[in-house]
Amino acid sequence: MRHAISINDFSAGEIYGDIVPGCKEMVGFAQKKKPKPYNPKKKVIYAFFEASTRTRGSYVEAARLLGWDRDVITGTEATSLSKKESIANTARMFALQGADVLVMRTKIEGAQRFAAEILEEEGYAISIQNAGDGTNQHPTQTFLDLLTILEKLGRLDDFKIGFFGDLKFGRTVHSLICALAHRKNIFVVLASPKETSLQEQYKRHFGHSRLQEGDSMEILKDCDIIYGSRIQEERFVGDLIALQRASEAFKITPEVLNGFKKDVLIMHPMPYVKEITPQVRKDRRIIIDDQAWCGIPTRIFLLEEGYKNRKKTTLLPTSECRLEILKEIPLEEYLNERKKRKGVNQYFIPINNGTVIDHIPQGLSIKMRNFLSGQGILHSGVKHLIEDVPSKTFGYKDVIVLEDIFLAKEVMIKISSLAPSVTFNIVKDETFEKIKATTSPIITGMGKCPNTNCITNHDPEAEPKFKHSDEELACYYCEKHFSREEVL
Ligand code: NCD
């Protein structure tokens, strides 16, 4: 592990085979509280641009025990970010000032990935660790949550976990859910006001048979673990009074606790506001102090691991895309083949020279035609633009027939990035060739992330990038999912 930016960057093997056992090994060292001698060669900068008690404090304690040099910056007002300096230039300065590890907490989503990308490209040996980026991710909290579960439950499989409170804006919930999706026999129960219910993109990790959702605490009654999340009022846009009213029901009172399993483990990343009432705070099933303490061994491991791997290349070749020739046959053979297939000919006339863009998802052909016009490829308009063609795989598809036009490799890659399902049928010199992109490319150079908190809407150096995720596009930086229409 070089960076810790999103839990989605880690494989199951890395999380459960390396990191969690690595954090566990640090428990004894953290308990002894005996610091290693001061070592000015290793330096961490903590840049917390949002409030923090536990994450910052446990990272500081971890660095103290390791004997590292450390610098703690709290609040944007302490830096030139308050003078509208960009995140890119802020991160560059921290790297230039000798940070081996830079731990950042931001309101802006995707800022840590962007910082890691530019610092890696510019040759800095630095590990970027995300201490929370807006409503997106909090991967280091997940590592300590998993360590807590392992310590208290003794296993990381076969349990039912219930989440309650703010599941929409609570980043700790997002990261933990993504990590648990790798495990066996995990059942997830979600209890929240409708205003703060979990987004589909996270629920999708668990099929219907492993997920239950509702708007009362009652559905948590047979959970082995219950994980609370503070209503993130500072991130909510809408009727705050209505949200406060709706969230009143999501708290653990003595009566609610009585309805839970006798040996339930109750976790919360803290801070909590009303979710845990004073009457139950000291109940042995509420393990939030032990959970917070697990932050220390976890971050000892993460600092050392980041330092060890600070020179590894991790993020660079993201935009690689390969085009593969799926078929290459004489045109005549192809035409004979085609004649035998029923129904095809009625939709478009075959060409003797040119390109057919096939398998375009229904409704996307207009966008694609505009793109081709923008590239200066279509001077006299498209010869045939055929919409709603019945297709075996799609139900319906669109097709663009470009007579006497051939596309450059980069253009085919751009088109495939808009729609990875597309195939290019090229007819040239009496030969028929079918080409397809084999890797789903990252979309660059077009579109805009609709999320106003995304780094691409805050730092002029951060260009929008998107990845394909099922039928949607996921922002490469803030990780939010959108429809193609919203982005393009
Ligand atoms: C959380 C956070 O900042 O995401 N706290 C934490 O890091 N332990 C939870 C919150 O702010 O509600």
Side-chain angles (χ1 to χ4, degrees):
M1 179 209 97
R2 172 170 173 174
H3 309 295
I5 293 167
S6 163
I7 208 77
N8 297 319
D9 297 336
F10 297 96
S11 66
E14 285 170 303
I15 302 173
Y16 297 97
D18 304 334
I19 298 175
V20 177
C23 297
K24 190 172 163 62
E25 266 180 42
M26 295 301 138
V27 168
F29 173 60
Q31 273 164 343
K32 280 201 198 101
K33 288 176 78 175
K34 191 169 174 281
K36 289 184 177 172
Y38 176 57
N39 180 357
K41 276 204 214 128
K42 296 183 180 180
K43 177 173 176 177
V44 53
I45 295 184
Y46 297 119
F48 278 74
F49 301 126
E50 273 192 338
S52 173
T53 300
R54 276 146 291 270
T55 308
R56 192 196 58 231
S58 60
Y59 256 123
V60 168
E61 175 64 357
R64 188 185 75 83
L65 291 174
L66 288 169
W68 287 29
D69 193 29
R70 53 201 174 270
D71 192 1
V72 187
I73 296 147
T74 47
T76 50
E77 59 288 355
T79 67
S80 290
L81 280 174
S82 63
K83 300 176 187 171
K84 299 195 177 162
E85 178 160 47
S86 68
I87 298 243
N89 281 335
T90 307
R92 280 188 185 105
M93 285 311 115
F94 294 144
L96 203 79
Q97 290 158 1
D100 298 299
V101 178
L102 171 60
V103 179
M104 276 215 285
R105 169 170 283 192
T106 57
K107 176 175 179 257
I108 303 303
E109 289 145 13
Q112 290 76 350
R113 184 171 309 281
F114 175 59
E117 198 176 44
I118 55 164
L119 296 182
E120 212 171 290
E121 267 167 21
E122 291 168 21
Y124 288 103
I126 190 167
S127 159
I128 306 293
Q129 305 195 1
N130 177 8
D133 61 328
T135 64
N136 182 33
Q137 284 272 323
H138 195 342
T140 75
Q141 175 74 35
T142 292
F143 296 138
L144 81 86
D145 289 342
L146 293 173
L147 175 61
T148 310
I149 297 174
L150 184 63
E151 294 281 273
K152 295 287 176 182
L153 191 70
R155 63 180 192 274
L156 289 166
D157 282 311
D158 301 304
F159 58 78
K160 191 166 190 172
I161 179 164
F163 292 89
F164 77 93
D166 194 335
L167 315 183
K168 182 175 184 181
F169 302 109
R171 54 198 174 196
T172 67
V173 173
H174 298 165
S175 293
L176 183 54
I177 286 205
C178 295
L180 289 175
H182 295 293
R183 304 303 295 179
K184 283 201 288 296
N185 276 327
I186 305 285
F187 292 83
V188 171
V189 186
L190 307 170
S192 72
K194 64 176 184 333
E195 291 88 339
T196 60
S197 63
L198 188 69
Q199 295 89 329
E200 277 302 319
Q201 70 180 83
Y202 301 105
K203 284 194 258 178
R204 220 170 277 146
H205 288 297
F206 293 85
H208 284 297
S209 57
R210 293 204 290 150
L211 192 113
Q212 189 194 346
E213 197 173 10
D215 61 1
S216 89
M217 293 292 276
E218 236 167 62
I219 59 170
L220 305 174
K221 62 180 186 312
D222 57 350
C223 286
D224 304 294
I225 300 170
I226 290 172
Y227 191 104
S229 173
R230 175 181 66 90
I231 300 292
Q232 316 265 305
E233 290 188 3
E234 72 276 27
R235 307 192 197 279
F236 182 76
V237 195
D239 186 347
L240 199 56
I241 305 289
L243 173 67
Q244 284 165 342
R245 212 175 299 127
S247 61
E248 269 303 314
F250 296 88
K251 59 183 175 201
I252 302 181
T253 58
E255 301 76 61
V256 169
L257 187 58
N258 264 339
F260 292 159
K261 274 178 110 167
K262 291 279 160 282
D263 55 353
V264 66
L265 298 172
I266 295 174
M267 299 174 66
H268 195 300
M270 295 208 265
Y272 66 81
V273 183
K274 291 183 180 163
E275 306 88 271
I276 294 171
T277 57
Q279 295 87 335
V280 301
R281 175 65 173 92
K282 293 198 179 113
D283 192 283
R284 62 177 171 82
R285 289 166 286 186
I286 309 240
I287 58 166
I288 56 179
D289 293 326
D290 293 334
Q291 180 186 359
W293 184 85
C294 280
I296 301 170
T298 298
R299 280 142 185 160
I300 291 173
F301 177 79
L302 294 174
L303 285 179
E304 290 223 290
E305 194 64 11
Y307 183 87
K308 252 191 263 161
N309 297 303
R310 71 195 186 285
K311 294 180 184 159
K312 262 196 189 152
T313 303
T314 65
L315 296 162
L316 293 181
T318 45
S319 50
E320 283 282 295
C321 172
R322 253 177 304 113
L323 290 175
E324 198 182 319
I325 301 176
L326 299 181
K327 193 182 223 177
E328 196 178 359
I329 51 170
L331 182 59
E332 208 179 318
E333 193 181 315
Y334 170 69
L335 291 176
N336 284 336
E337 218 178 73
R338 204 163 176 275
K339 257 185 226 148
K340 281 183 220 145
R341 276 191 276 143
K342 271 198 205 134
V344 181
N345 291 317
Q346 71 196 60
Y347 296 105
F348 52 90
I349 320 124
I351 46 171
N352 292 318
N353 190 57
T355 309
V356 176
I357 311 176
D358 199 359
H359 300 115
I360 304 171
Q362 201 182 13
L364 214 69
S365 53
I366 301 287
K367 281 236 155 71
M368 227 164 251
R369 188 175 58 174
N370 293 344
F371 168 73
L372 290 168
S373 301
Q375 299 281 309
I377 292 163
L378 298 182
H379 299 294
S380 51
V382 184
K383 293 280 181 214
H384 314 283
L385 169 71
I386 304 131
E387 295 176 290
D388 304 338
V389 180
S391 151
K392 260 192 270 164
T393 7
F394 292 105
Y396 284 94
K397 64 178 180 181
D398 291 350
V399 177
I400 296 178
V401 185
L402 302 167
E403 198 159 13
D404 298 327
I405 293 176
F406 297 97
L407 304 174
K409 187 179 168 219
E410 306 76 69
V411 174
M412 290 201 268
I413 289 178
K414 271 258 154 75
I415 291 175
S416 308
S417 74
L418 269 174
S421 60
V422 153
T423 51
F424 301 91
N425 296 340
I426 299 167
V427 184
K428 196 180 185 180
D429 302 332
E430 295 299 309
T431 307
F432 172 88
E433 208 178 57
K434 192 198 270 282
I435 290 182
K436 192 178 191 312
T438 50
T439 42
S440 185
I442 299 242
I443 303 178
T444 51
M446 60 176 111
K448 182 173 157 46
C449 181
N451 172 13
T452 51
N453 277 332
C454 176
I455 184 71
T456 58
N457 292 315
H458 285 267
D459 193 310
E461 285 188 55
E463 303 259 357
K465 282 190 196 173
F466 301 93
K467 292 199 284 192
H468 289 274
S469 177
D470 300 322
E471 286 304 292
E472 297 177 320
L473 295 180
C475 174
Y476 177 74
Y477 293 102
C478 73
E479 302 184 52
K480 300 234 178 311
H481 287 215
F482 302 100
S483 70
R484 283 201 188 89
E485 286 68 32
E486 285 173 292
V487 168
L488 301 168

